[in-house]
Amino acid sequence: MSTSATDPKRWRLDVDSGVHRWRYLDEPASTRLPQSAAEKYFLALPTGLPQLPIPRNFQESARNGFRFYQNLQLDDGHWGCAYGGPSFLLAGMVIAMYITETEIPPEWKTEIIHYLMSTVNKDGGWGLHSAGDSTVFATTLYYITLRILGLESTHPLSTKARARLHALGGAIGIPQWGKIWLALLNLYSWSGVNPIPPEFWLLPDWIPFHPWRWWVQCRVVYLPVSYLYANKVTKPLDPLLTSLRQEIYTQPYEEIIFEQFRNTVAPVDLKKPISALLRVANVFLRCWEQYFRPNWIAQWANQRVCALIQREDENTSYNCLAPVNKAFHMVTVWHSDGPNSSRMSCHREKIAPYMWMGETGMTCSGTNGVQAWDTAFSIQAIFEAGLAMEPEFRSSLENALSYLDISQLREDLADPYRQPRKGGWPFSTRDNGYVVSDCAAEGLKAVLMLQEQCHFVKRISDERLHDCVDTLLLMQNPGGGFSSYERTRASSLLEYLNASEVFDRIMVEYSYPECTTAVVTALSLFRRHFPTYRSTEIDRVIHRAIKYIINAQRPDGSWYGSWGVCFTYASLFAMQSLEVVGQTWQTSNAVRKCCKFLISKQKNDGGWGEHYTSCEVEEYVQHERSQVVNTAWACLALMHAHYPYKEAIEKGLKLIMSRQQANGEWLQEGVEGVFNNTCMIGYPNYKFYFTAWALGRYSNEYLPMLKELDA
Ligand code: LAN
């Protein structure tokens, strides 16, 4: 097996309505079809983009930033990017392809190995995410991935990884999701996996712990897994698997009594031990399965989950919500319908959109992309920087608007478990089909800015904007906040049933300052342009949302960010929310406290730098180096707060400017995003638009506002 990389000049990115597909051309074709600047950029080839005039002020620096960034826009108007970091996604996808007898193209094999080589830790293992310490979970699954892709067990990468795995105690200490993958591969016994009964889905909907009430990301993972568990699905042994049985454990496979290891998790992996309640429940569930469950119930449950699995396939055009459930769905369909079934081919068709090719090789993205999210923010950034009316950005913005046009969700689904979505926006593509509160809100704001404030040709009718508002108004939680995909449907006590061992806060939806702010600011902008549409309800929703935001402030004045790193991110959103209701430095204690917090974290060089471990320890951890993205968030937060001492903001913006390259770009720094407190994920476009947004907003909005205050 060759471990050298492929020729980067032969890769092309096809896009169609936001859907990405990387293609490896044969030699002659690659000379006929030139690479775009974006493709070259993604592959770290010289882009040939020109040096720009040296910026003399923040505004010019912002303009240069967007000049560079608009070259990365893709044909259908969205901005694409690598969306990597978590380690269990790529491994799941490769293992699922192996089990389902899906051909893995040779260039993918080479580039996935290349990716694993580029991201391996010094000790030979891999962590939960690319910056994390080596864990059994990631090291086992990636070791198996390498072997599936054809790497010999004697290759130095394999030998080192195996040594690290054994030093960590071997695969026996892998957490639950890993045990499931191993059981599917016939490398672990299902008797060593705690019960995941499909019968849960037969309970009446009013039961407070019914799975329809779980956070959608968690419920859609356990849905196919319950089928796989109940049917004890396993890949028949083959020479590779037989050999792996002897490679991943520290003891001979035949001697392992798997039942004894159901609750065994390596200490490095364990982030969230299972509760005593769940341990007891597991004992009862096992008895129920073994001695009491009538056959007809087992069959009924099987039919029910099969129907729900098929519904998720169809509702998402076989993309599924995210790569974890996608990979499990594939194995389910392979088992229920067979390797040559039509559903299996639909699934195979939708693997490529998850795979991203980049300079460090090929990996699997956290979702099928960040298309609608990045596009909505990019529009807002250009607009707030005061550049939307400049002719040089016109066509880029028109194209971006057209992407929002085609990615808006136009119909609700006939599925009682799904949140109404009509008029909303998804995080990535329309194909994926899941509305997210803040994606819908950021999309709405971007459209309003271009259509209502800049009078761009109207692509999205008023009626469609009303649909979006209707959908947002349905998403508020009783406490006033907004969560991600759905309203909160159950108590957080359900965390007692969290079986994942590696993620916290995955069982139910929570309210988030980020999502809440997106909705507050979108509704407030909408109200300005459509003052008569559902205005009383909008006022009430905003009022309650602000109460939530105020309550979520921490004693130190900051807000905790769940989706970005970390306090600078959430504080930016909170300041935006409070600004909507006139709470600023001049009028509000809460705002002054937040400004004080931010200023106390400013570094000597004028920037802000937050280390990603802030998310885990829930306290601000300084990065040793200022980060342009954190600096942009902090400066934007202070500007939204109407912070009167502009010198502090100027110092931050100067730092951002000093890091800008001659062609207008910013270079990649630390990881920007997070989920479930523990897993980091990259948002590489943040370094382009939040930076330029902060720079441009300064003279376009902040200075005029300060003048007004002085007058
Ligand atoms: C995302 C990515 C986008 C993110 C924002 C829109 C930024 C946020 O404001 C709301 C939540 C959301 C939609 C989100 C939720 C969790 C996701 C889908 C992810 C972080 C990307 C990957 C992650 C998903 C859970 C990965 C699979 C892991 C599991 C634990 C199931």
Side-chain angles (χ1 to χ4, degrees), residues 29-321:
S30 68
T31 47
R32 282 196 305 272
L33 186 69
Q35 273 176 323
S36 67
E39 286 164 333
K40 288 182 190 157
Y41 175 81
F42 296 138
L43 296 158
L45 295 168
T47 56
L49 291 172
Q51 293 215 351
L52 300 171
I54 295 170
R56 286 162 303 182
N57 52 42
F58 298 148
Q59 183 71 6
E60 289 184 4
S61 170
R63 188 178 292 112
N64 279 359
F66 289 124
R67 278 182 181 152
F68 174 84
Y69 182 53
Q70 66 174 345
N71 290 301
L72 303 189
Q73 190 175 24
L74 299 171
D75 286 347
D76 60 4
H78 80 273
W79 275 271
C81 65
Y83 190 38
S87 50
F88 49 100
L89 311 175
L90 175 62
M93 208 57 114
V94 171
I95 295 173
M97 286 195 269
Y98 181 67
I99 295 177
T100 60
E101 301 150 61
T102 300
E103 198 197 317
I104 309 176
E107 62 277 9
W108 286 25
K109 288 188 180 172
T110 308
E111 285 301 336
I112 294 172
I113 295 178
H114 175 199
Y115 175 80
L116 294 181
M117 277 187 165
S118 341
T119 55
V120 68
N121 287 338
K122 281 204 183 73
D123 63 13
W126 292 267
L128 183 65
H129 54 92
S130 3
D133 293 338
S134 300
T135 62
V136 173
F137 189 24
T139 308
T140 307
L141 294 186
Y142 272 167
Y143 180 81
I144 294 171
T145 304
L146 286 171
R147 299 282 287 116
I148 287 176
L149 296 175
L151 205 72
E152 295 297 331
S153 63
T154 47
H155 187 281
L157 190 61
S158 311
T159 335
K160 239 184 128 184
R162 203 168 53 242
R164 173 84 318 237
L165 177 58
H166 286 204
L168 291 172
I172 203 70
I174 199 166
Q176 190 200 33
W177 293 12
K179 288 186 165 57
I180 294 164
W181 279 119
L182 295 185
L184 290 169
L185 283 167
N186 220 335
L187 301 177
Y188 189 93
S189 162
W190 278 110
S191 63
V193 179
N194 277 320
I196 309 161
E199 295 92 293
F200 267 131
W201 284 100
L202 298 177
L203 296 170
D205 286 353
W206 57 263
I207 299 276
F209 56 85
H210 189 291
W212 85 279
R213 298 172 185 280
W214 301 1
W215 184 40
V216 64
Q217 286 287 353
C218 179
R219 117 178 145 241
V220 298
V221 168
Y222 282 102
L223 173 72
V225 164
S226 72
Y227 172 92
L228 300 169
Y229 172 82
N231 292 284
K232 308 285 174 274
V233 174
T234 34
K235 173 97 178 156
L237 270 187
D238 61 21
L240 173 66
L241 297 176
T242 311
S243 170
L244 277 171
R245 280 184 166 191
Q246 306 306 334
E247 294 169 32
I248 59 175
Y249 297 103
T250 51
Q251 57 271 66
Y253 186 82
E254 301 68 32
E255 289 170 21
I256 304 174
I257 303 166
F258 286 97
E259 292 90 282
Q260 292 176 352
F261 295 99
R262 285 179 191 131
N263 295 321
T264 303
V265 185
V268 273
D269 288 64
L270 190 62
K271 297 277 163 121
K272 176 80 187 159
I274 67 169
S275 65
L277 177 74
L278 187 55
R279 273 171 194 258
V280 175
N282 281 335
V283 174
F284 280 106
L285 287 169
R286 220 168 294 119
C287 285
W288 155 256
E289 272 171 17
Q290 272 176 358
Y291 307 113
F292 299 105
R293 181 179 55 196
N295 216 5
W296 64 270
I297 293 210
Q299 281 175 4
W300 183 24
N302 218 29
Q303 279 167 8
R304 171 97 172 117
V305 295
C306 277
L308 292 172
I309 289 168
Q310 185 157 359
R311 194 156 84 186
E312 161 80 355
D313 277 345
E314 287 163 5
N315 284 345
T316 60
S317 332
Y318 288 84
N319 285 296
C320 299
L321 171 56

